[in-house]
């Protein structure tokens, strides 16, 4: 990373763990048999309004503590379900024409829900739609970075045979 640090911005990678529906969950006891839903679920299924706001400081993953929680060693993260929706990913709607389509399953950086002892997260499904699944599934990841101001991609398509060229 040292050789590339001038090219990469220390971006906030949001892992929005704010809760939209408690369904009886309570830190002091209560039902754990109903689903606790995180806010990404509400935006994907109810309001259809993706947000780029990361509301809780603890969920703002960064290298530096000056603009986030400082919990990352490197400025690399996963796209959120909201970013995937803004790019063209939709729940239960195939899309092979947007740039996040790969034909493979890969995880997003957003939690979906929790019930009993099972956690689920969002992922991009092989047909290109936004989906959710148990976090013990073996899916790929698509690490993301943010280029620092003044740098652009001048070539390549991001594959191993044609990596991006940064100027």
């Amino acid at each position: 990373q040292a050789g590339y640090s001038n090219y990469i911005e220390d971006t906030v990678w949001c892992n929005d763990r704010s809760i939209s529906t408690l369904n009886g969950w309570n830190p002091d006891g209560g039902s754990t048999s109903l689903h606790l839903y995180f806010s990404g679920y509400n935006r994907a299924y109810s309001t259809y309004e993706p947000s780029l706001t990361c509301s809780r400081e603890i969920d703002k993953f960064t290298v530096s503590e000056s603009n986030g929680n400082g919990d990352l060693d490197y400025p690399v993260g996963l796209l959120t379900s909201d970013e995937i929706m803004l790019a063209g990913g939709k729940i239960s709607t195939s899309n092979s024409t947007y740039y996040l389509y790969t034909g493979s399953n890969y995880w997003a950086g957003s939690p979906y829900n929790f019930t009993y002892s099972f956690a689920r997260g969002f992922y991009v499904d092989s047909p290109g739609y936004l989906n959710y699944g148990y976090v013990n599934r073996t899916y790929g990841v698509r690490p993301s970075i943010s280029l620092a101001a003044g740098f652009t991609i001048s070539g390549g398509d991001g594959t191993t045979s044609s990596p991006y060229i940064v100027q």
Side-chain angles (χ1 to χ4, degrees):
Q1 187 236 347
Y4 298 101
S5 60
N6 290 340
Y7 299 97
I8 302 171
E9 181 92 15
D10 185 17
T11 301
V12 171
W13 297 101
C14 187
N15 181 17
D16 184 3
R17 295 171 288 182
S18 63
I19 297 168
S20 68
T21 307
L22 280 171
N23 273 344
W25 281 71
N26 180 328
D28 299 318
S31 173
T32 59
S33 63
L34 299 172
H35 296 291
L36 176 148
Y37 287 99
F38 295 98
S39 294
Y41 162 84
N42 189 50
R43 291 189 297 271
Y45 281 91
S46 299
T47 66
Y48 310 104
E49 294 177 2
S51 172
L52 295 178
T53 302
C54 194
S55 61
R56 297 172 0 127
E57 289 298 315
I58 195 169
D59 293 340
K60 294 179 180 180
F61 286 82
T62 58
V63 174
S64 168
E65 290 182 4
S66 65
N67 63 339
N69 63 20
D71 285 349
L72 296 179
D73 291 329
Y74 302 101
V76 178
L78 299 177
L79 297 178
T80 65
S81 57
D82 298 280
E83 291 166 327
I84 292 165
M85 287 190 298
L86 286 168
K90 296 179 180 143
I91 298 294
S92 302
T93 303
S94 297
N95 184 354
S96 62
T97 61
Y98 73 129
Y99 72 97
L100 296 178
Y101 173 78
T102 65
S104 299
N105 298 335
Y106 61 91
W107 288 110
S110 300
Y112 176 81
N113 76 348
F114 189 82
T115 188
Y116 296 106
S117 60
F118 301 105
R120 291 188 235 184
F122 282 100
Y123 70 97
V124 176
D125 211 331
S126 57
Y129 60 84
L130 187 61
N131 203 348
Y132 63 91
Y134 293 106
V135 297
N136 65 346
R137 291 182 178 172
T138 306
Y139 294 150
V141 293
R142 302 228 6 174
S144 297
I145 61 167
S146 292
L147 290 178
F151 294 100
T152 59
I153 302 295
S154 64
D157 62 13
T159 62
T160 55
S161 61
S162 179
Y164 290 123
I165 299 169
V166 178
Q167 281 189 314

